[in-house]
Amino acid sequence: MATLNLNAIKKSFGTADVLHDISLAIEDKEFVVFVGPSGCGKSTLLRIIAGLEEASSGSIVIGGEDVSHAAPVDRGISMVFQSYALYPHLSVYENIAFPLRVQKMPKEELDARVKRAADILQLTEKLQLKPGQLSGGQRQRVAIGRSIVREPKVFLFDEPLSNLDAALRGDMRVELSQLHRELDATMVYVTHDQVEAMTMADRIVVLNAGKVEQFGTPMELYHHPATKFVASFIGQPNMNFVPAKVRDIVGGLTVDLEGGHQMTLPVETEGVQIGDTVDVGIRPEHVTLGDDGLEISVNVLERLGGVSISYGTIGKTTRFCASLPGDAPISEGTTIRLTVAAEDCHVFQSNGQVLRRKSAPALVA
Ligand code: ADP
Ligand code: MG
């Protein structure tokens, strides 16, 4: 069992508080992705798990064992970095075998482990080559091989694909997901790329300024973002936020959106007052072209074939992006009307917290 528990982890560098009270329970064999903007504390948290950095307070438990003060080598973890430092003068085989040589592992077992890792990573044909003879993606696979042979309880990855070009990153995403299935291991993966997070994770931790904004499955974060930050971070193109004034709070939340449209949204209205300003979150893919609804000025239209992405404004200056059918009969410099279902709208208070949706009404027998 390789569960990973973080209990109230805090970290300060001098007077700078970088991590605030982070608690997470990661399950055995789970693939968890930490995602957030640059500087939010992802690497620091990963380095604390690895034992490369000490937490200011809090504890780390791996497989039921408190490792808060254990040395990195005694934690049963293995870390792969963005810059994969391979030894240029050693063969692929020796690069992968390196940590086992350090452990003085008997030859036969070492050989079996290196060959198995090479097989999983499709490096069998490359074992005698030097790193300089490999592509970027192959080199990153050698670095991953070096961490596989140690048979860690938990794999840690810090933006391992950031140095690769876009096409290769896409391929490696698929390979890493396959690797996770084959190894059946607990993995924690750090990235600032929400597409990597959405496509690879069993569950995602969204970090913002050293705090956990939300921890959930990709679809939970997409359909039920807890905060405006999560809503703006997850989903492509990004969610639109339209400022609105609260007109009524009985039987849902009735708002006047900037640009003049009125809607009643099925959300809890506790703590909301008439006259408050809220943000109505609308995903670009949740609107349809119609004869009424939101009035949008189209500034730029990108025809991608299957879809057309319209970039425009609602009201005076609020940006509004819409994802429409590829052959949508619209053009730049015109005004269009878009409808959106009330159930597809998210409402955020000025403090960024979402107003919970009303649960579906109970069926009357
Ligand atoms: P991320 O990986 O999310 O981009 P980091 O964990 O690297 O973010 O950094 C989080 C914050 O902690 C940043 O403001 C960074 O400047 C600061 N920081 C990281 N390491 C140190 C350090 N050794 N000394 C001082 N500040 C640091
Ligand atoms: Mg980092």
Side-chain angles (χ1 to χ4, degrees):
M1 282 286 281
T3 52
L4 169 60
N5 292 80
L6 306 183
N7 305 313
I9 298 285
K10 292 186 187 172
K11 178 68 183 176
S12 309
F13 290 107
T15 56
D17 298 332
V18 169
L19 297 175
H20 310 269
D21 206 5
I22 295 196
S23 294
L24 294 169
I26 294 172
E27 285 167 22
D28 185 34
K29 299 180 179 156
E30 216 178 357
F31 195 134
V32 169
V33 175
F34 296 171
V35 71
S38 177
C40 71
K42 305 180 295 294
S43 294
T44 303
L45 187 57
L46 204 67
R47 291 168 58 79
I48 287 172
I49 297 170
L52 301 173
E53 198 82 69
E54 198 171 352
S56 304
S57 64
S59 66
I60 300 153
V61 179
I62 296 177
E65 192 184 336
D66 190 326
V67 296
S68 311
H69 303 290
V73 290
D74 298 329
R75 293 190 180 200
I77 54 93
S78 166
M79 190 149 163
V80 178
F81 299 90
Q82 178 178 348
S83 52
Y84 32 90
L86 302 180
Y87 299 102
H89 58 288
L90 295 182
S91 65
V92 168
Y93 185 102
E94 286 304 327
N95 266 285
I96 294 177
F98 195 81
L100 306 182
R101 297 257 188 242
V102 173
Q103 288 175 27
K104 303 207 179 355
M105 179 176 283
K107 249 203 190 108
E108 269 147 44
E109 190 181 350
L110 177 147
D111 189 60
R113 285 201 192 186
V114 172
K115 286 187 173 150
R116 174 156 182 271
D119 184 40
I120 291 171
L121 295 165
Q122 293 161 34
L123 289 169
T124 305
E125 308 294 312
K126 315 280 180 201
L127 283 172
Q128 299 318 318
L129 301 182
K130 298 274 166 64
Q133 297 169 285
L134 303 179
S135 69
Q138 288 165 342
R139 273 181 238 164
Q140 188 56 290
R141 274 191 258 149
V142 176
I144 293 169
R146 199 162 52 184
S147 81
I148 290 177
V149 290
R150 295 175 51 203
E151 301 186 349
K153 291 187 202 147
V154 180
F155 286 86
L156 307 176
F157 296 94
D158 193 354
E159 311 227 13
L161 307 186
S162 297
N163 284 345
L164 307 178
D165 65 47
L168 197 52
R169 268 208 311 272
D171 292 346
M172 286 295 289
R173 268 203 325 256
V174 176
E175 286 189 24
L176 279 173
S177 294
Q178 259 163 20
L179 184 70
H180 175 243
R181 254 202 316 280
E182 277 171 43
L183 296 178
D184 229 2
T186 309
M187 295 188 170
V188 180
Y189 185 101
V190 161
T191 180
H192 63 273
D193 179 347
Q194 67 97 15
V195 176
E196 282 183 15
M198 289 297 280
T199 52
M200 295 199 290
D202 294 320
R203 286 194 294 168
I204 298 175
V205 179
V206 180
L207 284 172
N208 179 23
K211 291 202 182 81
V212 175
E213 290 268 331
Q214 196 170 357
F215 184 23
T217 66
M219 284 300 121
E220 275 164 10
L221 301 194
Y222 177 83
H223 289 295
H224 305 285
T227 64
K228 188 177 170 188
F229 181 87
V230 174
S232 64
F233 207 79
I234 301 290
Q236 202 79 63
N238 293 347
M239 187 185 279
N240 299 292
F241 297 101
V242 184
K245 253 210 159 49
V246 176
R247 171 186 279 262
D248 199 356
I249 54 174
V250 177
L253 186 81
T254 303
V255 295
D256 292 313
L257 288 113
E258 194 170 299
H261 192 62
Q262 191 180 106
M263 291 186 86
T264 297
L265 306 169
V267 296
E268 302 288 350
T269 55
E270 215 179 285
V272 182
Q273 303 198 336
I274 291 171
D276 281 359
T277 302
V278 293
D279 280 309
V280 176
I282 301 173
R283 293 206 183 275
E285 58 274 32
H286 286 160
V287 295
T288 20
L289 211 49
D291 297 325
D292 56 3
L294 311 171
E295 194 174 310
I296 309 290
S297 314
V298 180
N299 301 328
V300 173
L301 186 65
E302 287 180 351
R303 294 221 186 258
L304 299 176
V307 293
S308 298
I309 309 290
S310 137
Y311 299 91
T313 52
I314 182 169
K316 285 203 183 76
T317 54
T318 301
R319 282 143 55 111
F320 198 96
C321 173
S323 179
L324 299 168
D327 53 4
I330 61 174
S331 49
E332 293 176 353
T334 62
T335 298
I336 58 173
R337 304 298 289 259
L338 297 174
T339 55
V340 56
E343 309 80 67
D344 285 334
C345 294
H346 304 260
V347 186
F348 302 96
Q349 291 183 278
S350 51
N351 63 4
Q353 295 296 311
V354 76
L355 289 179
R356 265 189 312 119
R357 290 163 190 235
K358 287 196 170 163
S359 40
L363 288 175
V364 180

